[in-house]
Amino acid sequence: MGKYSEDPLWADIEPLPTDEGGPNPLAAIAYSEEYEETMSYMRAVMAANEYSDRVLELTEDLIDMNPAHYTVWLYRAKTLFHLDKDLREELEWLNETALEHQKNYQIWHHRNLIVDRLDDCEGETEFVEQMFVKDAKNYHVWSYRQWLVKRFGLWETEELEFTERMLREDVRNNSAWNHRWYIVNGREAEGVKGEWDEGLRKRELDFAKNAVGKTPQNQSPWNYLRAIVRTAGVPLASLKEFAEQYASLDRPDSVRSSFALDLLADIFAEEEGGKDKAGKALDLLAAKYDPIRKNYWAYRKSQLGLESSTPEAVVAA
Amino acid sequence: MAILSENGASEEPRLDKARHIKYWTRCLKTLLPHQYTSNDSNRLYLAFFIISALDLLGVLESVPSKEEREDHINWIYHCQHPDGGFRMWPGTDFGVRASKDNAMWDPANIPATYFALASLLLLKDDFSRVRRRGCLEWLPRMQRGDGSFGETCVNGVVEGGMDPRFGYCATGIRFILRGTMSGPLEIEGRSVGDIDVDSFVKCVQLAEAYDGGIADLGFHEPHAGYTFCSLGALAFIDRLEVGDHAHSKRSVATAPTNPSAVISWLAYRQTELTDPDAGIDSEFTAPDDTTDNDPSQKPGVGKIAKIQQKAVTPAHQTAEHSVGISIFDLLVDGAGMSGRTNKVADTCYGFWVGASLHLMKQPTLYDHAAMRRYMLGKTQHPVLGGFGKFPGDVPDLLHGYLGLAALGLSGCEGVKVLEGGMCLSREARERLPLLWKRWDVHDEE
């Protein structure tokens, strides 16, 4: 006896249980009776291609228990469009569902479909920020945010401020750094240049340098700096003076950032006769500042044609 | 540096093989707990984890009987779609009520198909019941104009995200069923078309991020899972560029466009950050000079001082994550892999990152010993067997399997050698040429 079998509204439906085909099925789950019943009604309805209000409720129940059901989401979308439902109400239901199932991606795919059809993103960026309160690095949510920006042309509005807000919360949030990169450089297809614009470049360099100043041992702004100069075609050496504030071969005991040392190794390697200095920086990383990657630092040396040295030898020298 | 015994000698944490076998036997022979209901539509990949874990542990032919293995094979075939390809589970098959009108709601599924074929390979099935022609005819229809693959095709529309998980599984299906033979293929008297390999390569190129990693789409944040799927897919279609001289002269499109940037990004994934609840804002401090800098001390002594330091400053843990935390957590030094920049280690990335470095032909660029210590000392469950996602977590199928797979890459006693690109034992991978021979296709390499 269950919710559907006892409900006169569903009396006309003959449930269709799943057939496992034989003994010893793989990855069989101890389903609740509720799930088994909901699934058998869902299957019966889909087999009959019924698109009705009661089906919407059924899909809600099922999705709540199994949000990864790939065809039920599509079936729900088709039912919504068939009945010409108010899609704003659908978004409200989705808000609750998304907050409950943080890691599910079908929810975001469905939201995409609904908002695209609504042709209006009112309230969406606010909802996204609400999701970030729970997990500021949720991959699906960041992907959705990018889609919103592109679909509704939000480039010029408050996206930069938004990334600044997110980075004030956590300057190590690499997702927020990545989003900033997208906002600055993602419009190439529309003919808007990113880091090639000098004013823009200065603004972004200052922003990243400021973040390094607060957290020298934070890889995100270092990666961002490197990407700016590479994309703009500016020599890597333009970052030398800045990097030397955080790491110097003259003061090997007071390196403040392993990422600065890594960058300096690359800068030295490009200098005439700088390979030995690059090797020293890499040795220092292997021996002292980033020993977990000692094999990687040795590989970097070998890429420069330098012999690798054992950490013990470096320290003794 | 592992656990200190009473006499001060150190001892590496070990694989508790008996407990892992017990865990996977339970997964195979009893119902999975109801918490897996939300993964009901992923059952074929859960099935693959169970079968492949038992294979990696060397007990696939002793834990289930011959009859049971036959039943398992039959269940996989029960999930096969009448037109080729597989469903994730029998839940979309309408059985006696199936008709032309409702066929659209019962599509074959790309990941299900890869995991079904891989599981059949592990179970030493002869593939005679695989609808090979139908499957290979369906495959190109699952590719979109931009080169990406979807999950299912419903009513002529390719559905599902555009991410490389589907590209990985699609190219994996192609690899199992036709090796690396490209172009039209004659099967059962019909010419079967191929996927558009070049446009898929382009898709991966567009997803290479500004910091060297690979994302699902252009401008998305790079992610170790997507990086593995992209590299693995390129390997399946023989278009992977690893940056050595042998490949650089090739005239066909390859990816990634900057192999050394990818390698560097991957090397940076190894991290000593293990606590998902702790802020990672503690400022960088150079290691204590008196321990790490004195060459007269024996290797490892510095590490001991570090362990003691850790013991007096317990990591931040919420109550939830403190439950069942292993005592090893405070004693064992180790470094697992993170999936993205500035995130903490997680068991599954040991596989995604490790296998990616193997694919890039740089398997020694990470610290295998530190990685084993992280997994065996911190995320291996001391009572239930299996691996959790983070230290102290209860085990689950995904992390339990990918943990073993990562160890299979690192050379761990008791785990078979892993073929990183296919995420199954090398022993099973080596059975593929026998199938290819029968189908008269071959690996072009």
Side-chain angles (χ1 to χ4, degrees), chain A residues 14 19-20 24 26-28 30-31 35 43 47 49 66 137 139 146 175 178 218 230 262 293 295 315, chain B residues 32 40-41 43 71 75 78 91 93 97 101-102 105 210 219-221 267-268 270 284 293 340 342 364:
Chain A
E14 194 195 329
D19 172 17
E20 292 287 340
N24 295 310
L26 286 165
Y31 305 122
Y35 179 73
R43 286 166 43 75
N49 274 305
N66 176 12
K137 299 177 180 178
Y139 201 89
Q146 282 204 8
S175 308
N178 186 77
N218 172 7
R230 190 182 54 244
D262 179 357
R293 263 169 281 286
N295 290 357
V315 175
Chain B
L32 298 173
D40 192 23
S41 309
R43 269 177 65 198
D71 289 342
W75 182 80
H78 179 61
D93 179 359
R97 288 190 222 171
D101 294 333
N102 60 31
W105 301 118
Y210 69 85
F219 289 108
H220 282 191
E221 189 184 4
Y268 261 119
Q270 193 159 26
F284 184 77
N293 248 8
R340 292 183 257 163
N342 281 338
T364 61

Side-chain angles (χ1 to χ4, degrees), chain A residues 249 261 265 276-291 294 297-298 301 306-311 313-315:
Chain A
L249 291 182
L261 203 50
D276 284 343
K277 279 167 90 182
K280 279 195 181 115
L282 295 169
D283 283 341
L284 202 52
L285 282 160
K288 188 166 179 179
Y289 291 102
D290 196 16
K294 59 182 184 301
W297 303 121
K301 279 186 79 177
L306 298 169
E307 294 272 317
S308 69
S309 32
T310 63
V314 177
V315 175

Side-chain angles (χ1 to χ4, degrees), chain A residues 38-208:
Chain A
T38 310
M39 259 299 266
S40 65
Y41 276 81
M42 191 71 238
R43 286 166 43 75
V45 158
M46 288 173 89
N49 274 305
E50 177 184 322
Y51 305 103
S52 63
D53 280 304
R54 68 175 182 178
V55 162
L56 286 178
E57 280 174 47
L58 183 63
T59 59
E60 277 172 36
D61 271 357
L62 192 92
I63 284 168
D64 195 40
M65 291 182 272
N66 176 12
H69 195 311
Y70 44 91
T71 51
V72 163
W73 280 103
L74 303 173
Y75 196 83
R76 181 177 173 88
K78 181 157 182 180
T79 309
L80 285 169
F81 301 152
H82 179 81
L83 299 174
D84 201 16
K85 281 284 170 190
D86 179 357
L87 298 181
R88 291 261 159 223
E89 277 176 30
E90 182 67 0
L91 281 185
E92 271 167 42
W93 172 73
L94 269 180
N95 287 355
E96 289 165 37
T97 312
L99 287 164
E100 213 174 301
H101 301 282
Q102 298 269 322
K103 296 281 177 188
N104 178 278
Y105 93 100
Q106 270 100 350
I107 291 172
W108 294 94
H109 186 68
H110 186 71
R111 194 178 192 98
N112 232 293
L113 197 72
I114 302 296
V115 172
D116 189 45
R117 194 142 168 141
L118 271 171
D119 197 23
D120 177 9
C121 68
E122 200 202 319
E124 287 307 283
T125 55
E126 290 80 0
F127 177 69
V128 162
E129 283 205 58
Q130 206 184 321
M131 287 294 294
F132 285 143
V133 173
K134 284 209 164 190
D135 177 3
K137 299 177 180 178
N138 187 314
Y139 201 89
H140 306 307
V141 185
W142 281 106
S143 301
Y144 180 67
R145 181 89 183 198
Q146 282 204 8
W147 176 79
L148 282 178
V149 168
K150 194 169 185 175
R151 168 68 175 78
F152 296 99
L154 307 179
W155 307 98
E156 304 282 358
T157 52
E158 47 150 37
E159 283 305 285
L160 271 190
E161 280 168 44
F162 163 65
T163 63
E164 277 156 33
R165 203 155 60 238
M166 293 301 290
L167 290 171
R168 260 200 304 277
E169 289 278 312
D170 177 7
V171 70
R172 287 184 167 80
N173 185 344
N174 195 60
S175 308
W177 283 100
N178 186 77
H179 193 68
R180 190 172 177 97
W181 180 261
Y182 173 61
I183 297 306
V184 176
N185 297 288
R187 300 170 77 187
E188 270 172 48
E190 298 172 29
V192 180
K193 52 187 181 177
E195 303 297 351
W196 287 97
D197 180 283
E198 210 183 316
L200 204 63
R201 184 159 75 235
K202 188 179 179 310
R203 183 191 73 192
E204 292 307 294
L205 284 170
D206 287 348
F207 183 78

